[in-house]
Amino acid sequence: MDEFKPCNLDYFPENILIDVLSYLSVRELVRAGRVCKRWKRLVKDQRLWRFVDLTAWKGVTSRILWLLLRQYLGCGLRCLRLRGLLLSARGGTFLSESWLKALSTKCPRLSKLYLLHADLRSLPSCQLLPPSLQVLELRGCELPREFFNQTPTSSASSQERAEATSSVGAQQQRRDQKGKRPGSPSGIGIERLILNNVPSFTDQHLQSLKSWERLSRLELRDTFRVTANGLRSCATKDGTCGVEGLSRLKYLEIGITGRQGYQLQMASLGLGAGWLGLEELSLGGKEVGPGLLCASRLKDLKCLCLWACTLSEMQIVRSCRMLRGLCRLEFLDVIFQPRQCPPVVEGEGGGGEEQDREEAAGADSSNDENKTPDKNDPIPSLRRSLAVLLPSCILVFTNCSVQINAE
């Protein structure tokens, strides 16, 4: 037993100590840096500050943000999650222009920013955010009217007009315009925008996104003020001057799941005008029904996801008959209504649906493998019907169930 001598943390290599410190929260890391000089140096290692989550630290003020930025945050930061003071009794300014400029300078590799309950009305535009951002997620935030404008009206624009009056100023302005071509760092480089429960987001903000040249993914969750007309005006279409709207958008998500009794705008009806280049569509909650009616107008649609809703087999089959180019169909947290066989179906559409059911039944009887029931399928008949309509489509059921009638 004498051979085993007690040892302290000084004998451990620094790589192992950094791995141990990586399990601590931001608040615990700051406290650990006060133990000794060695720990203070280890805590400042940028490997510990790649993903910073401050949402669990309640009461984070601008003073604490300045302290973290000056002493700890650096070029290693990739993802930053902040919790604002919108629901706090303290209130006050949380994100200032000077702090955002310092963040852009000191953290040039920051690619994702998540803001929770932040009051952004003190910021004139999102162009004050770090230009290296690729993903911006806002949840429960307050926005000014011109927050998403590409070129906000400021004193800089008036100064450029004054310089343009002189010949020297005009030459300098031409040089600046040559440097500010599409794809330059001066524009907004955000590729993915996530808005979750942002009541102040309106059609005017949606119109401002048309000037974003790199936006390819847009997720609108519980944005109650977005209307069908606003979504229709932003849809990609061929105009007189070329392609208009959100031309680079490939993924769109629309979902309304909260606020019972709130006036439903049914923004997904704006998809009825068509959307060129839209390949992936996600519909959730109260937007599923209107969205399925308009999904047939999306000629380039390849992936469709339906989540947090109640659907019937007839409703799904009727919508999928017009989506022959669909490659992936996903159901997430969907409650399926029990299968019903109506005695008489009026109209021509009902005859087509009956024919689809007969084809599905014929395919079921011809294949012996389909006779074995699959417990993971909420409705096996739905899988068989979709296999006939969309033979090359991948079906995914996740956390789905069947509604049980009280009778």
Side-chain angles (χ1 to χ4, degrees):
M1 297 296 295
D2 296 339
E3 298 179 357
F4 299 96
K5 297 180 180 180
C7 60
N8 51 23
L9 293 178
D10 295 335
Y11 290 95
F12 286 89
E14 293 186 354
N15 293 333
I16 297 180
L17 291 178
I18 290 176
D19 291 340
V20 174
L21 293 174
S22 64
Y23 291 94
L24 301 180
S25 63
V26 177
R27 197 168 189 175
E28 293 171 344
L29 274 178
V30 175
R31 293 177 179 177
R34 302 171 184 172
V35 175
C36 59
K37 292 183 178 180
R38 188 191 182 195
W39 279 40
K40 183 178 181 180
R41 179 173 54 84
L42 291 177
V43 166
K44 292 185 177 181
D45 193 289
Q46 288 301 305
R47 285 175 289 181
L48 298 174
W49 300 95
R50 292 180 179 177
F51 305 95
V52 178
D53 188 1
L54 296 174
T55 56
W57 188 353
K58 297 182 180 180
V60 176
T61 59
S62 58
R63 179 177 173 272
I64 297 177
L65 292 180
W66 275 110
L67 176 66
L68 294 175
L69 182 59
R70 290 170 179 171
Q71 297 187 9
Y72 301 102
L73 302 182
C75 60
L77 184 62
R78 300 294 191 275
C79 177
L80 179 61
R81 298 170 60 90
L82 298 176
R83 184 190 186 99
L85 303 175
L86 188 60
L87 303 181
S88 176
R90 298 183 181 182
T93 303
F94 178 64
L95 296 178
S96 60
E97 297 184 20
S98 57
W99 187 84
L100 291 174
K101 292 180 181 179
L103 179 67
S104 305
T105 304
K106 198 171 182 182
C107 306
R109 299 179 180 177
L110 179 62
S111 60
K112 183 176 182 179
L113 179 62
Y114 171 84
L115 299 179
L116 173 65
H117 299 157
D119 191 356
L120 305 177
R121 288 174 290 186
S122 60
L123 302 178
S125 172
C126 65
Q127 285 186 294
L128 295 174
L129 300 176
S132 59
L133 283 182
Q134 298 179 0
V135 180
L136 176 61
E137 183 174 358
L138 305 177
R139 182 170 185 177
C141 299
E142 287 291 339
L143 305 176
R145 291 184 178 181
E146 301 180 353
F147 184 73
F148 294 111
N149 286 359
Q150 176 78 13
T151 54
T153 57
S154 60
S155 59
S157 59
S158 60
Q159 184 178 359
E160 290 178 1
R161 293 175 184 175
E163 291 178 358
T165 56
S166 62
S167 59
V168 179
Q171 294 178 0
Q172 183 67 25
Q173 188 180 16
R174 295 191 191 98
R175 295 175 183 175
D176 295 340
Q177 290 179 354
K178 289 181 180 179
K180 295 181 180 180
R181 294 296 181 184
S184 61
S186 60
I188 299 177
I190 297 177
E191 302 176 359
R192 181 183 181 186
L193 179 61
I194 305 172
L195 299 170
N196 193 344
N197 192 17
V198 182
S200 57
F201 186 82
T202 61
D203 292 341
Q204 182 179 355
H205 296 94
L206 193 62
Q207 291 288 335
S208 302
L209 298 179
K210 295 167 64 176
S211 61
W212 291 22
E213 300 176 354
R214 301 182 182 178
L215 185 63
S216 59
R217 295 175 63 93
L218 179 60
E219 303 177 18
L220 304 177
R221 306 169 187 169
D222 291 338
T223 52
F224 301 95
R225 296 187 180 182
V226 177
T227 63
N229 293 330
L231 195 66
R232 189 181 298 110
S233 62
C234 294
T236 305
K237 53 184 176 295
D238 293 330
T240 56
C241 300
V243 181
E244 300 177 353
L246 298 173
S247 57
R248 294 185 178 270
L249 199 67
K250 301 296 182 183
Y251 177 91
L252 177 62
E253 178 176 338
I254 309 175
I256 300 293
T257 57
R259 294 195 181 185
Q260 297 293 332
Y262 197 88
Q263 184 178 1
L264 183 60
Q265 300 290 347
M266 292 190 293
S268 57
L269 288 176
L271 300 174
W275 199 305
L276 298 178
L278 189 63
E279 299 178 355
E280 301 181 29
L281 177 64
S282 179
L283 301 173
K286 300 177 182 178
E287 296 287 354
V288 174
L292 284 177
L293 296 176
C294 305
S296 59
R297 300 293 184 91
L298 306 178
K299 300 180 180 180
D300 300 327
L301 188 64
K302 298 181 180 178
C303 301
L304 178 62
C305 178
L306 307 176
W307 49 276
C309 59
T310 302
L311 296 173
S312 64
E313 179 184 0
M314 187 71 64
Q315 185 179 4
I316 299 172
V317 172
R318 184 186 298 113
S319 302
C320 291
R321 289 181 62 188
M322 306 300 295
L323 300 175
R324 297 294 183 176
L326 205 63
C327 299
R328 181 182 177 89
L329 179 58
E330 183 176 357
F331 300 94
L332 176 63
D333 295 329
V334 175
I335 300 177
F336 292 96
Q337 297 178 357
R339 187 178 183 183
Q340 298 179 356
C341 297
V344 178
V345 180
E346 299 180 358
E348 297 180 357
E353 291 164 7
E354 263 187 41
Q355 183 179 0
D356 291 337
R357 289 180 178 272
E358 292 176 0
E359 292 178 357
D364 183 25
S365 60
S366 60
N367 297 331
D368 296 336
E369 296 178 358
N370 293 335
K371 291 183 179 180
T372 59
D374 191 354
K375 297 181 180 180
N376 296 329
D377 291 344
I379 299 182
S381 61
L382 176 62
R383 177 182 286 272
R384 293 192 296 266
S385 301
L386 294 178
V388 176
L389 295 176
L390 306 172
S392 60
C393 180
I394 300 176
L395 303 179
V396 180
F397 296 87
T398 304
N399 197 20
C400 297
S401 59
V402 180
Q403 186 178 8
I404 301 177
N405 294 331
E407 298 178 358

